Amino acid sequence: MPNPTAPRPPKIPNRRPPARTDSDGASLLDGDSYTGERYDRVDLSDRDLRHSTFSECSFAGTVLTGADLTGAHLVESELTEVEAAHLTAPRSLWRHTAIRRSRLGAVVAYEGSLDGLVVADTEISFLNTRSGTWKDVLLQRCVIDELDLVGAKLTRVRFEDCQVRSLELTGARCTDVDLRTTQLREISGLAGLGGCTISPDQLTDLSGALAAHLGISVAPA
C-alpha cells in the first residue's frame, strides 16, 4: 500500500529519441531555433546562444565553457558527457530534457524554469537557480558542491542518491521535495525545508541546527 505521507514523485515523460541530423554548430546564432540537430564532440565555448531554442537536439561530448544561454529554451533535448567550467543561463527554460554524465563548474541559472528535467551521474561545482521554478525534476547520483535555491519554488522534486555539500534554501517554497537518500552536509535557510521529506537519520544530523534555528537551548539536566 502506498505511503500516504510520502512525497509525490516527479512526473517524467517517456520519450523516444527522434531522428537527428549532425551539425558542427558553426552556424548557430543567438535568437534562432534549431530542431533535431546532433552536436557530437562540438566545441561551443564562449558562443552567444542567448534566446536560442533547441528542440529535440542532442549534445554529446560538447564543450560549453563560457557559452551564454541567457533566455535559451532547451526542449525535449539530451546533454550527455557535456563539459563547462562555467556556464551562463539565467532565465532559461529546460523542459523534458536530460543531462547525463556531465561535469559542470559554475552554472548561473537564476530565474530559470526546470520542467520535467532529469540530471543523472553529473558533477556540479556551483548551481545558482535563485528565484527559479523547479517542477517534476529528478536528480540521480549527482554531486553538487553548492546549490543555491534562494527564493526558488520547487514542486515534485527528488534528489536520489545525491551528495549536496552546501544547500541554501532561504525563502524557498517546497512541495513534495524528496531528500531522503541524499547526503546533506550544510543547510542554510532551514525554514525552506518546509514541504521537504527527510529521513530519520537526516533529522538526527540536523537536530542541532534545527534547535539553533528555533532558539531552543539543549543542555543536560
Side-chain angles (χ1 to χ4, degrees):
M1 180 179 296
N3 184 349
T5 64
R8 293 176 297 167
K11 299 176 181 178
I12 305 298
N14 292 321
R15 298 180 296 105
R16 289 186 177 181
R20 296 185 173 111
T21 303
D22 287 329
S23 173
D24 62 5
S27 62
L28 293 178
L29 296 173
D30 61 297
D32 277 359
S33 297
Y34 307 92
T35 301
E37 295 195 353
R38 181 190 297 110
Y39 308 99
D40 193 355
R41 309 293 171 185
V42 173
D43 189 344
L44 298 178
S45 298
D46 301 317
R47 294 294 295 273
D48 184 353
L49 302 174
R50 291 174 296 170
H51 307 291
S52 298
T53 297
F54 297 91
S55 299
E56 298 185 335
C57 290
S58 171
F59 299 80
T62 308
V63 179
L64 290 171
T65 295
D68 190 346
L69 291 169
T70 299
H73 290 190
L74 287 93
V75 180
E76 296 185 357
S77 295
E78 299 174 6
L79 294 83
T80 306
E81 297 180 354
V82 165
E83 292 189 8
H86 52 94
L87 182 65
T88 302
R91 295 179 289 278
S92 55
L93 167 69
W94 304 71
R95 176 177 293 157
H96 300 171
T97 289
I99 303 173
R100 304 182 190 278
R101 302 190 301 279
S102 296
R103 295 175 61 89
L104 307 176
V107 180
V108 177
Y110 57 83
E111 298 177 4
S113 177
L114 313 182
D115 183 0
L117 177 69
V118 175
V119 185
D121 304 300
T122 291
E123 297 182 13
I124 305 174
S125 296
F126 172 66
L127 177 56
N128 173 1
T129 61
R130 287 189 169 211
S131 302
T133 301
W134 293 37
K135 181 181 177 183
D136 295 315
V137 176
L138 174 61
L139 293 95
Q140 298 174 304
R141 302 174 300 279
C142 292
V143 176
I144 304 175
D145 290 337
E146 297 181 59
L147 177 55
D148 188 341
L149 292 170
V150 170
K153 181 179 180 180
L154 289 77
T155 305
R156 292 190 301 271
V157 176
R158 175 181 288 174
F159 292 79
E160 190 174 284
D161 299 322
C162 295
Q163 296 180 42
V164 180
R165 296 191 172 100
S166 176
L167 177 60
E168 173 60 81
L169 287 169
T170 300
R173 294 161 292 164
C174 297
T175 304
D176 293 310
V177 175
D178 192 346
L179 297 169
R180 290 175 293 177
T181 64
T182 287
Q183 296 180 33
L184 303 169
R185 296 190 181 179
E186 178 183 342
I187 299 179
S188 301
L190 289 170
L193 280 173
C196 296
T197 300
I198 61 176
S199 70
D201 287 342
Q202 288 172 321
L203 179 58
T204 299
D205 292 339
L206 290 170
S207 59
L210 288 170
H213 173 73
L214 295 171
I216 299 172
S217 299
V218 181

